Amino acid sequence: RLWGQRNWTVAGWRGGLYYVQSPGLPALLVPALALDPPTEPEGPPPPLAVVTLAGLWALALVQTTRLAAEVSGSRLAGLLAAIAVATSAPLLVGGQHFYPEVAAAAAVPWLARWLWPDAPRPAPARTLVLGVTAGALAWLHVKLLPLGLTAAGLLALRLRPRDRALLLAAVMLPLTGLLLFQYAVTGLFRPDALYLRFGSDVYRGPGDFLSARLVGGLVNALFGPRDGVLVMAPVLLAAVLVLPRLWRRDRPTTLALGALCASLWLVAALHGGGAPGPPARLLAPVLPLLAVPLAVGLAELRDHLPFPEYILDLRGVRF
């Protein structure tokens, strides 16, 4: 039978057409679409859906600011770094589109806030929420599965043994639900079932990670003329150049942020480093993490500027 249909849809084995991507983003938009009046397909987007989009990116900015401020020790440096990264081309342009990266960018910096050594150990209730969030990233897109598992693994290293069991159960809850959804639609009990049934030339299975084109994708994701994040956004290149400063100051945090970025970078390389749509959007969920080294660089730069310290520090301001 023909599984893959046009317009990125897959024919279910019991009938119906399903979008080839995971159903997480449509689920997030259901409340807005249910309340919005019907609109024409070629007309302007529904207003409440746009509000949802704006809310996700606002949440991403707040969490990025808090992460960068906590690691750098400077609220002002964290705020400036978060604004600089959020207004870079991949995030600013991508933030105007309904893509899974929108929701993921709101969740990743919040997860990262619990991974650096000076962060408090989360209580059991928060551990449960963190685990569900990490596992639910795959509901947005299957390429986010390694990112979610990496975040969960890094968090498990900071937890007591009894809390690790709770974290594992929380991660497996949304993943099991996604596998059951994939099985109900395709008959395959695996997270990449929809893509396999669609038969995309971009992805044929896990064996693609051993293909020679992966090397080209890794390079293109950073330096490609259209999708290279360091070409599209020089401020992100500045953040990368400041990484040695963060390494000397906090090696565990540098390694944790590097592991999160590498997990998505590797998967993005399967698409040649880029994808149709806004430039550099495949790496957008982890780009807020680069605000951390940028904030560290700004905080150290403050010590060399000829201004009183109180001018360059937002004392009393809470994020």
Side-chain angles (χ1 to χ4, degrees):
R1 56 173 297 161
L2 295 178
W3 292 93
Q5 306 296 307
R6 295 181 178 181
N7 299 322
W8 294 99
T9 56
V10 173
W13 71 333
R14 294 187 177 93
L17 289 177
Y18 297 85
Y19 195 51
V20 70
Q21 291 184 4
S22 300
L25 184 60
L28 285 176
L29 293 175
V30 161
L33 296 177
L35 296 174
D36 269 323
T39 58
E40 295 295 329
E42 300 301 327
L48 289 183
V50 176
V51 170
T52 302
L53 190 70
L56 289 170
W57 279 100
L59 179 61
L61 178 61
V62 170
Q63 295 302 322
T64 302
T65 300
R66 298 190 67 175
L67 171 66
E70 290 165 356
V71 177
S72 67
S74 171
R75 293 170 180 165
L76 178 60
L79 176 62
L80 294 178
I83 292 175
V85 171
T87 54
S88 64
L91 293 174
L92 184 63
V93 178
Q96 303 173 38
H97 297 75
F98 294 98
Y99 281 113
E101 289 80 8
V102 175
V108 171
W110 180 68
L111 290 170
R113 288 183 56 209
W114 301 94
L115 301 180
W116 70 294
D118 292 339
R121 287 183 178 178
R126 192 180 297 274
T127 298
L128 181 63
V129 177
L130 288 168
V132 170
T133 302
L137 287 178
W139 275 84
L140 298 171
H141 198 290
V142 66
K143 71 169 181 281
L144 299 176
L145 176 60
L147 176 61
L149 294 179
T150 300
L154 292 172
L155 181 61
L157 295 177
R158 302 194 64 244
L159 298 177
R160 292 181 289 268
R162 63 180 183 182
D163 291 334
R164 291 174 185 171
L166 177 63
L167 177 67
L168 177 62
V171 172
M172 290 307 300
L173 181 64
L175 289 182
T176 302
L178 180 61
L179 290 173
L180 292 174
F181 172 83
Q182 301 274 20
Y183 178 78
V185 174
T186 67
L188 299 176
F189 194 74
R190 49 187 298 166
D192 57 353
L194 286 169
Y195 271 95
L196 291 178
R197 290 303 196 198
F198 184 76
S200 172
D201 293 335
V202 175
Y203 176 78
R204 300 180 182 87
D208 284 352
F209 285 102
L210 303 177
S211 63
R213 64 187 177 87
L214 190 68
V215 177
L218 290 172
V219 175
N220 189 58
L222 300 182
F223 302 106
R226 178 192 175 278
D227 287 292
V229 294
L230 302 184
V231 175
M232 294 299 303
V235 67
L236 300 180
L237 177 59
V240 172
L241 294 177
V242 183
L243 276 174
R245 297 276 186 177
L246 180 61
W247 174 258
R248 288 194 293 268
R249 178 173 179 163
D250 191 344
R251 293 187 179 183
T253 298
T254 307
L255 292 174
L257 298 181
L260 293 175
C261 292
S263 65
L264 188 56
W265 180 30
L266 183 64
V267 179
L270 290 182
H271 291 259
R281 73 175 177 91
L282 291 183
L283 288 179
V286 297
L287 295 185
L289 302 180
L290 292 179
V292 175
L294 188 60
V296 170
L298 291 173
E300 294 187 4
L301 179 64
R302 180 188 62 183
D303 299 334
H304 302 283
L305 293 177
F307 297 106
E309 181 178 354
Y310 68 86
I311 294 179
L312 300 172
D313 191 15
L314 297 179
R315 299 187 183 277
V317 177
R318 300 177 62 87
F319 294 104

